Every structure is written in C-alpha cells, then in structure tokens.
Amino acid sequence: MKYRQEHNIIRACTIHMQTEKTKTIVIREWSDCDIVAQCFVFLLAGFETCALRMCFTAQEMMKYEDVQQKLYEGVQQVDIDSDGKELTYEAIMGTKYLDQVVSEV
C-alpha cells in the first residue's frame, strides 16, 4: 500500500477500488488491518465455494461411473487434439461435457 502510494501505482484491483478517492468525497479510509481482513474474507469465500463444488463433483462422479468415464474421455480427447502441447484453460473450458457436469453439480 505504502509503495503504491509513494510511486503513484494504480492497478485495477480490489485494494485500489477500496482505497480510491473520488473527486468530491473520500469513500472510506482503510487501514492496513482493514484491507488484510477484507482480503482474508475474499479468499475464504472463494475457497469455500470452489472446494464445495469440487467435493460435490467428485462425489457425483464416484456415484455415477458412466459420467466419470464420459468426462475422462472428453478431457482425454482435448489432450489428443492438443498434439502433445500443454493443456490451456481455453482448451479445457471448450470441453462441453465438463461444462455440463459442473453446471449440473
């Protein structure tokens, strides 16, 4: 925070939005402790929802082996289509059945 203020560094991030001052009024003065607490809440909230979704997905795939096999084959096809290159986020997100499984869970 101090380094950003001293060097006039502006980033499009949560910390900047929380400490940004408008032209007319100060939205809120945040202490370092306040910002750390907010970051912790964001981390915890994001972690819990992702962890729960992964647990429910794993449970459903364990229960329905046909879904697990079809999903595995879809991801394996993406790997084959990549011709040995590293899998990218975009390639995995292009797996329609994966999207359907996650959306269903």
Side-chain angles (χ1 to χ4, degrees):
M1 292 286 302
K2 185 177 178 181
Y3 184 82
R4 283 185 180 191
Q5 290 171 348
E6 289 173 357
H7 293 90
N8 198 25
I9 296 173
I10 298 173
R11 293 192 179 132
C13 66
T14 304
I15 293 173
H16 178 72
M17 288 187 292
Q18 290 176 346
T19 58
E20 181 180 26
K21 297 177 182 174
T22 63
K23 292 180 181 177
T24 56
I25 60 169
V26 174
I27 296 172
R28 178 178 175 179
E29 289 292 329
W30 292 80
S31 71
D32 290 345
C33 188
D34 291 334
I35 292 174
V36 169
Q38 287 296 314
C39 290
F40 179 72
V41 168
F42 290 144
L43 177 68
L44 186 61
F47 176 78
E48 182 183 13
T49 56
C50 293
L52 284 174
R53 179 174 285 205
M54 286 188 294
C55 287
F56 286 136
T57 303
Q59 180 184 9
E60 291 297 313
M61 286 194 310
M62 185 176 63
K63 188 174 180 181
Y64 301 103
E65 291 182 24
D66 57 323
V67 172
Q68 181 182 12
Q69 185 61 35
K70 188 173 178 181
L71 184 58
Y72 173 75
E73 290 168 2
V75 173
Q76 191 176 32
Q77 186 61 47
V78 170
D79 187 38
I80 291 168
D81 294 344
S82 70
D83 293 326
K85 296 177 186 171
E86 186 174 317
L87 291 178
T88 62
Y89 174 79
E90 290 78 18
I92 294 294
M93 293 311 298
T95 309
K96 187 174 181 177
Y97 192 66
L98 175 63
D99 182 49
Q100 291 172 341
V101 168
V102 172
S103 295
E104 181 73 20
V105 170

